[in-house]
Amino acid sequence: MKITDFIGEATEYDKKEMLEERRPRSWLKSVSAFANGIGGALIFGVSDDETFVGLMDARAASEKISEAIKIKMDPIPQVIMENYTEAGKDFIILKVLPGQETPYYYVADGNRIALCSCW
């Protein structure tokens, strides 16, 4: 499957040009919203204008994504992470399944925030 095919099929998705390590809240809010709603996907390596830029080190980014979800989400949502290479560029698709233990919170910086793409 190509990234463009996935974007066309996904009902709910968000794009991130890169993994923002210093600002995980920027993308973990989407994880919370997807888990509290009907699910969705985050696509890393695609800019807001849908330019396919790719990731410099998808393997390291995958590990950091997993760690951030374990540390900064409560409860930990069920996710499926897939690495793709297309046209010589690496991408990560993080599929977030609809949660069974809602609400799912982003917990960090002294905050406890639950978001939902359905509100």
Side-chain angles (χ1 to χ4, degrees):
M1 174 183 285
K2 292 184 173 185
I3 298 289
T4 52
D5 295 338
F6 182 81
I7 289 173
E9 289 180 4
T11 303
E12 296 282 331
Y13 72 93
D14 193 6
K15 310 174 288 299
K16 295 293 177 187
E17 187 168 332
M18 55 188 246
L19 175 63
E20 297 179 46
E21 295 177 53
R22 295 180 189 244
R23 295 183 47 220
R25 181 178 179 182
S26 69
W27 56 273
L28 283 172
K29 290 188 308 183
S30 294
V31 174
S32 172
F34 293 150
N36 287 325
I38 62 169
L42 268 162
I43 305 169
F44 293 91
V46 179
S47 67
D48 287 336
D49 66 358
E50 297 194 1
T51 300
F52 296 173
V53 295
L55 298 169
M56 295 202 48
D57 188 348
R59 171 175 263 139
S62 295
E63 292 172 10
K64 290 173 183 172
I65 290 167
S66 291
E67 189 65 23
I69 289 171
K70 290 175 189 171
I71 293 172
K72 297 180 184 287
M73 296 292 302
D74 182 36
I76 299 170
Q78 188 174 7
V79 298
I80 300 168
M81 191 172 343
E82 299 174 345
N83 291 350
Y84 285 91
T85 299
E86 187 174 316
K89 297 178 181 176
D90 295 324
F91 302 89
I92 296 172
I93 297 179
L94 180 68
K95 296 177 183 176
V96 182
L97 303 179
Q100 302 298 313
E101 301 177 51
T102 58
Y104 290 83
Y105 293 95
Y106 165 76
V107 289
D109 312 321
N111 295 312
R112 191 169 171 83
I113 301 168
L115 298 166
C116 183
S117 59
C118 58
W119 293 333

